Amino acid sequence: MTRRIGVMGGMFDPVHTGHISAALAALNRLSLDELRLIPCANPFHRDAAVAHSDDRLAMLKLAVQTDVRLLVDDRELKRQGISYTVDTLRSLHKDFPDSILVLLLGEDAFEGLPHWHRWQELFELCHICVINRPVSGQSRRNDADTAQQVLRTELSRRQVSGPDELFIMHAGRIFFLKKEGLQIASNELRKQLGAGVYSSAASMLPTAVSRYIAEHNLYKF
């Protein structure tokens, strides 16, 4: 049977319960065999990480210990240059040529997809699972340019209503996974940690990650 591999990239600065909850939801809803969390080294369209890559990697390894299907993949940290998702997916294809890849995105990341490097090539390499659909299925971005219109066209062609429909093909389909729960903003979480508001921040972090941050004195202003 063809192996199903989920892929979740991000800064994980720090990894929080929202990341892990989304990963577990995708694992179970899509019947994935594993989900690889891949920390970004050099982002293309956002600021660099606050915490050092060694700390982000260590926190991820602590956060995934509750489920053996969650794996930490450090290939972007080892690779030189900008951490383009398309390059990461091609690398994964080389390592797992007979597997189906599913890229997990939040709704904001999905909306920004037209600004990603060689974004349309993603449909040749993987399926996309979007956690929570954008409001009314419409773009919330102000840059409703040609690229956004192309994204809507791609969505109309590729969206499927159920997870089983993803795996009829090897790549190129989009599925929206509705998930209830608290939305966590990493920048706000870092602000709380920097201000020493640990009681509030701790509720949004895996216990082992909260302990690691305190022990290593991370995110202090």
Side-chain angles (χ1 to χ4, degrees):
M1 186 174 180
T2 303
R3 193 164 183 79
R4 302 175 178 184
I5 299 178
V7 180
M8 177 189 280
M11 300 307 294
F12 301 114
D13 189 26
V15 58
H16 52 64
T17 55
H19 293 130
I20 302 304
S21 177
L24 292 173
L27 271 170
N28 296 323
R29 186 77 171 91
L30 305 182
S31 299
L32 300 175
D33 294 292
E34 65 184 56
L35 194 151
R36 292 177 171 263
L37 293 94
I38 305 179
C40 176
N42 302 301
F44 173 51
H45 47 64
R46 60 183 299 172
D47 294 336
V50 174
H52 191 276
S53 58
D54 290 345
D55 288 316
R56 292 187 291 126
L57 188 63
M59 288 187 284
L60 262 181
K61 289 179 178 179
L62 291 170
V64 303
Q65 290 179 353
T66 55
D67 196 307
V68 296
R69 298 170 299 170
L70 295 176
L71 303 174
V72 177
D73 189 318
D74 63 355
R75 69 185 62 223
E76 289 190 359
L77 298 180
K78 293 178 178 178
R79 193 169 69 220
Q80 298 295 314
I82 301 296
S83 301
Y84 294 123
T85 299
V86 65
D87 293 334
T88 298
L89 290 169
R90 291 196 183 282
S91 173
L92 286 164
H93 262 293
K94 289 181 180 179
D95 290 346
F96 309 103
D98 299 321
S99 297
I100 294 177
L101 304 179
V102 182
L103 179 63
L104 188 63
L105 296 179
E107 56 186 292
D108 289 338
F110 178 73
E111 286 295 321
L113 204 59
H115 300 281
W116 288 28
H117 181 63
R118 298 186 351 241
W119 69 279
Q120 286 177 286
E121 292 181 32
L122 299 178
F123 297 119
E124 303 170 11
L125 301 168
C126 67
H127 296 303
I128 293 177
C129 174
V130 185
I131 302 293
N132 293 328
R133 186 184 180 93
V135 178
S136 301
Q138 301 298 317
S139 174
R140 296 178 302 171
R141 298 173 64 95
N142 295 322
D143 54 348
D145 53 16
T146 301
Q148 281 291 321
Q149 295 174 25
V150 173
L151 177 61
R152 298 300 139 190
T153 300
E154 295 287 2
L155 177 58
S156 67
R157 293 175 50 225
R158 300 179 182 278
Q159 184 180 356
V160 297
S161 58
D164 290 342
E165 296 177 67
L166 285 178
F167 302 104
I168 295 173
M169 297 177 62
H170 197 77
R173 295 191 167 185
I174 301 170
F175 173 67
F176 289 91
L177 192 161
K178 182 175 176 56
K179 179 184 172 299
E180 302 295 336
L182 179 67
Q183 299 296 312
I184 301 173
S186 295
N187 59 335
E188 291 301 320
L189 178 55
R190 289 193 298 271
K191 287 180 182 178
Q192 290 187 22
L193 290 167
V197 188
Y198 284 106
S199 58
S200 177
S203 66
M204 296 181 281
L205 294 165
T207 302
V209 173
S210 178
R211 187 180 301 119
Y212 183 95
I213 290 172
E215 290 175 351
H216 292 79
N217 205 29
L218 301 182
Y219 302 110
K220 290 294 186 181
F221 290 144

